Each structure stands twice: as C-alpha cells, then as structure tokens.
Amino acid sequence: MERLSLYLRELERAGPDAASTVSSRQLGLAAGATDAQVRKDLGFVGVVGRSGVGYARDRAVEAIRRAIGMHRPWRAVLVGAGNIGRALAAYGRFREEGFVIVAIIDRAPSILGRQVAGIEVRPMDQLARAVRSEGVDIGIIAVPGEEAQGVADALVAAGVRGVLNFAPTRLDVDGRVPVVEVDFRAALERLAAEVSQRDGDRRAAATRPTGSASPAVPARRPPRRRPG
Amino acid sequence: MERLSLYLRELERAGPDAASTVSSRQLGLAAGATDAQVRKDLGFVGVVGRSGVGYARDRAVEAIRRAIGMHRPWRAVLVGAGNIGRALAAYGRFREEGFVIVAIIDRAPSILGRQVAGIEVRPMDQLARAVRSEGVDIGIIAVPGEEAQGVADALVAAGVRGVLNFAPTRLDVDGRVPVVEVDFRAALERLAAEVSQRDGDRRAAATRPTGSASPAVPARRPPRRRPG
DNA sequence: CGGTGTGAATCTGTTCACAGCC
DNA sequence: GGCTGTGAACAGATTCACACCG
C-alpha cells in the first residue's frame, strides 16, 4: 500500500507537540483518504487502535515503518552526477528519512574524482566493486534515457536489490529486482490531462479541430479542507 | 489513464524508421500492459485499428496527444531555483515534449536577477505578474516543503490552472486546480517496501524483533522480455 | 457519544474469450 | 492467420453500515 507512506509522513510531521493519539478521521483527512480506508490500512499492518480514542501515534509510526521496510537505513549508489543526480545527492533530507547515498558513479571523465555532496565520484567500471564494498542495497539511476538500460543491467549484475529510475525510459530487468520509476514527463502529462479535461481546454485555444468525445470527468478526490 | 503517456512515449520513440503500424501486442509489450488493455485504452481515446493489421502509428500518436492535452505546448512557471529547480530548468527535453518554462521565481536575494537556463530569476512578488504576462498555464513547485503550501496558494491566486509539486508536502488547494505530486521520498519508500517484502529482508539484518505477518506478495507485473 | 473493527455491498479496472474483419 | 472490438467474468480495492467498546 502506498498510502502508508503518506500516513507516515503525516504522523511524523506533527512532531512531539501533537497529541500522542490520532483518529482514523484525522489521519485520513491529512493524507487524503477516508477514515474507513485508514482503519483498513492500519489494521493491515497490524496496528490496533482503541475504540473511542484512536491510534497511538508512535505505535502506528513504528508499525508502518516496519511494514514498508523503513525500520533500518537503506544504502544507495547513485549513478549519474548530472543535473538530477546532483540535485538528489544534495537533497539532504533523504538521510534523515532513512536513505543514505554511499557511492556516486558517473561516466564523464570531467567529473571523476571530484566530490559531489562530499562523496567522490567514481567511474562506471567501479560500480560492482562499490556495490559490494559499500553494502549497497539499491541503485538510483539518474542518467540520460539512452544509457539507463545499460546502467540498470550493470546494477542488477552488481547485485543491487532494487532500482529507482529517474530516466525517462521503461527499464527491463526481467523481473529480477523491483523497479520504481519517477518519470517527470509522465507527471507533467498527467497534470496536462487533468487540467485540460477539467476545464475543457479553454486555454489560449485557436481552434478545436475534432470534437473528441472526452469523457465526463468526475472530480477525483473530494475537496479537502485545510487541517488548520 | 496514465498508461497513455507510456504508449505515447513508445510510439514516438520508434521514430520514422519503424513500421507505420503497431499491434496492441507490440505496444503493450513495450509499455508494460496487456494487449487487451491497449485495445481498451486506445478505443477509449477514439483510435480505431484495422483488424489483422494494427493501429496506424501517427493516428494513435495524435489521438493520444489530444486526449491527454498535449496537442499544444504548456507554459509553466518554475518556483524555486534550488537544486531540483535548476535541474528541472536544465532538463532540455521538456521543451521538445511540449512543456516550456517561461518564468522562474525564487525567494533568495542571492539568485535574483541571475539567469538559470537562460531565464532571469524573478522575486516572489512578481509571480502574479509573470503568470499573467507570460500566459502561464501551470506552476511547478520546487521549494522546500515548508514553503510549498504558501507557494501553492500564490500560484492558485495568480491563476495557474494546474500545479506540479516536487516538494514533499501534501498540498491543499481545496480542489481549485489539479495537483500532481512527484514525491521522491514516497518513491523510495515504495521501492523499499517492494524490495523488503520481495525477499523477506535478508538485508544486512541484525535481528528480526517482530515476526510481523507480512502478506505474501504476488509478483506484480509479469516479467517482460526485452523488446530486442 | 466518538471511535474502532469488519463483513457485505459496490464500484473500478483488468483479464478472458470470442465473433468478425482483412 | 493475425488482429481488432467488445461483452462477460473476474479480481481488487473502496465504501457502507453497523455491532461493539470506553
């Protein structure tokens, strides 16, 4: 379940000042889910709440962490120290959240040996060695689309157990390891689609060639009031 | 449908050298869907194929483009010229794909007036003006989480019609415009979850405190052979 | 009451299977 | 034979509704 991630964020955000207990309603409101959903999800990961009171915040946090495998830090190798790669490396928040970049690999000779976010950039042919010596769990791909598949193959061969892919390419790892894609283009297109069907494209339009029967769109999530 | 994006990518990738016709099977294979799915999806956006032959590639491309609103370019304002913001601005591919960043806004005095990807960075208080004068359609949020909600409010007030959010914060725009979240943390956690349940966490584990009943996991997508 | 836990009803999306076309 | 279009079966997830607890 991927709402768990959201619950976790909400539960953690509140900090120590908040009540030590949450109701499914509150949590759902904050995370964009219904109370029933929250109860089901929380039940699923094994948290039990107390009737009339709610769920103990820290119990919930721990259970979710464990359920999604975030109870111990993950060690990652970043392949690609270009724009996205450097942005990721610099994004310090990861460390707090249980992800540590322990090695950085890049192909470009110009950057080799330099440091990015305090880590020395190593050449491609040291990937396997790095994975082994640094105890890397997952590989992060931040290279141009054309190179992504090759990097993925190398990562899998080197023994990573999961791949996070920022390149705009569908990777084929033949089911050997899980792959999660973070696709900016797809995100933009999703947005474009939602926007243009929501208001029938009244955007700087010239002509509407085809009267394409775009299906009526029901507002997805019911509008949600700000917590405050 | 968000598979449409993928189909589009595949259809375009092939280039002019490829056959001008595709079967649902081919497309599905490349995009990670079943043939039936492809047929349903394509039918949904109004493409008709010819029996025994397949779908005309360019017809399909155009229909999908139209369906997801990508038949004309989108103009975006980027708020936040930090790491992620600059990476996005530098990611030239966007332009080819129908997204143009026409303005960049940042709060930090140190960067104001400087150019990022050939665009002058303007201060926050010029956001509304920029949106209007540049004919901005959507806003891209690439600021730290704490500032994201404020920026979102400003964007909506300024009249953007959609928001793409890279900050790790659930935005509340009260249903006024569509919001698409690109959440690195969530992506990493999804990966962590998949990895750890796939192989029962044999990762550098110390102890397994609780024998938490993690549900059996069926391999999600059936393994898919490389197109070549 | 406010809130949990959970079966039953419902909805949404996916797969199957097959008639029909080229 | 290869492939589309589509109704029907299916599966999964979401919501409902309600018994029960403090």
Side-chain angles (χ1 to χ4, degrees):
Chain A
M1 279 315 174
E2 80 175 76
R3 276 186 304 264
L4 289 174
S5 227
L6 282 169
Y7 299 157
L8 186 54
R9 194 162 74 186
E10 286 307 325
L11 289 168
E12 284 175 341
R13 184 210 304 294
D17 46 314
S20 65
T21 194
V22 228
S23 78
S24 54
R25 178 94 72 94
Q26 293 173 305
L27 192 49
L29 223 48
T34 71
D35 49 347
Q37 241 168 355
V38 173
R39 288 200 292 274
K40 281 252 153 91
D41 294 345
L42 254 41
F44 180 74
V45 304
V47 199
V48 296
R50 276 199 303 176
S51 306
V53 182
Y55 297 88
R57 189 176 247 110
D58 36 359
R59 279 226 187 296
V61 166
E62 203 201 323
I64 295 179
R65 279 237 184 82
R66 181 167 307 279
I68 65 182
M70 293 304 303
H71 47 120
R72 44 175 56 264
W74 288 83
R75 300 168 70 80
V77 57
L78 170 65
V79 184
N83 291 311
I84 317 107
R86 283 198 301 271
L88 289 172
Y91 183 49
R93 201 69 70 83
F94 280 156
R95 184 171 287 99
E96 304 166 22
E97 288 166 354
F99 294 97
V100 197
I101 292 178
V102 294
I104 301 180
I105 306 280
D106 199 296
R107 211 189 52 169
S110 59
I111 205 179
L112 290 179
R114 311 227 336 236
Q115 295 225 337
V116 167
I119 299 170
E120 188 188 326
V121 178
R122 301 204 246 165
M124 274 301 286
D125 58 23
Q126 284 201 30
L127 195 152
R129 178 202 304 272
V131 166
R132 275 188 283 272
S133 72
E134 305 291 344
V136 164
D137 301 301
I138 65 176
I140 301 179
I141 299 181
V143 300
E146 312 80 67
E147 299 168 32
Q149 182 63 57
V151 171
D153 293 342
L155 283 168
V156 171
V160 302
R161 292 172 49 222
V163 170
L164 184 63
N165 178 30
F166 285 86
T169 307
R170 198 96 192 149
L171 295 181
D172 176 14
V173 294
D174 209 14
R176 309 261 303 275
V177 300
V179 176
V180 169
E181 316 258 348
V182 179
D183 188 339
F184 299 166
R185 172 181 181 173
L188 273 164
E189 290 182 353
R190 212 155 63 237
L191 182 60
E194 286 188 30
V195 169
S196 55
Q197 57 183 192
R198 163 187 287 236
D199 37 36
D201 210 339
R202 77 172 65 92
R203 167 174 54 116
T207 33
R208 181 108 51 101
T210 329
S212 71
S214 62
V217 62
R220 261 207 355 194
R221 218 187 316 252
R224 169 177 58 92
R225 286 273 49 194
R226 196 159 318 164
Chain B
M1 280 311 177
E2 82 175 73
R3 276 186 305 261
L4 289 175
S5 229
L6 282 168
Y7 300 157
L8 186 53
R9 195 161 74 185
E10 287 307 326
L11 289 169
E12 285 175 340
R13 186 212 303 293
D17 46 313
S20 65
T21 194
V22 228
S23 77
S24 54
R25 177 97 70 97
Q26 291 174 305
L27 193 48
L29 223 48
T34 73
D35 49 347
Q37 239 169 357
V38 173
R39 289 201 291 275
K40 282 253 154 88
D41 293 346
L42 253 40
F44 181 73
V45 304
V47 199
V48 297
R50 277 199 304 175
S51 307
V53 183
Y55 297 89
R57 192 178 243 107
D58 36 0
R59 278 227 188 297
V61 167
E62 204 201 323
I64 296 178
R65 279 238 185 81
R66 182 169 305 282
I68 65 182
M70 292 306 301
H71 47 119
R72 43 173 61 262
W74 288 84
R75 300 170 69 79
V77 57
L78 170 65
V79 184
N83 291 310
I84 316 105
R86 282 199 301 272
L88 289 171
Y91 183 48
R93 203 66 73 82
F94 281 156
R95 186 172 286 100
E96 307 166 21
E97 288 166 354
F99 294 96
V100 197
I101 292 177
V102 294
I104 301 179
I105 305 281
D106 199 296
R107 212 188 51 172
S110 58
I111 203 178
L112 290 180
R114 313 234 325 241
Q115 294 224 337
V116 168
I119 299 170
E120 188 189 326
V121 178
R122 302 203 244 165
M124 274 301 286
D125 56 24
Q126 284 200 31
L127 195 151
R129 179 201 304 270
V131 167
R132 274 188 283 273
S133 72
E134 305 290 346
V136 164
D137 301 301
I138 65 175
I140 302 178
I141 300 181
V143 300
E146 312 80 67
E147 300 168 31
Q149 182 62 56
V151 171
D153 293 342
L155 282 168
V156 172
V160 303
R161 294 172 48 222
V163 170
L164 184 64
N165 179 31
F166 285 85
T169 308
R170 198 95 193 149
L171 295 182
D172 177 15
V173 294
D174 210 12
R176 309 260 304 274
V177 300
V179 176
V180 169
E181 317 256 348
V182 179
D183 189 338
F184 299 165
R185 173 180 179 174
L188 274 164
E189 289 183 352
R190 210 155 65 237
L191 181 61
E194 287 188 29
V195 169
S196 56
Q197 56 183 191
R198 162 187 288 236
D199 38 35
D201 207 338
R202 77 171 68 92
R203 169 173 53 117
T207 32
R208 183 108 50 98
T210 326
S212 72
S214 62
V217 63
R220 261 205 354 190
R221 218 186 317 253
R224 169 178 56 93
R225 285 274 51 194
R226 196 157 318 159

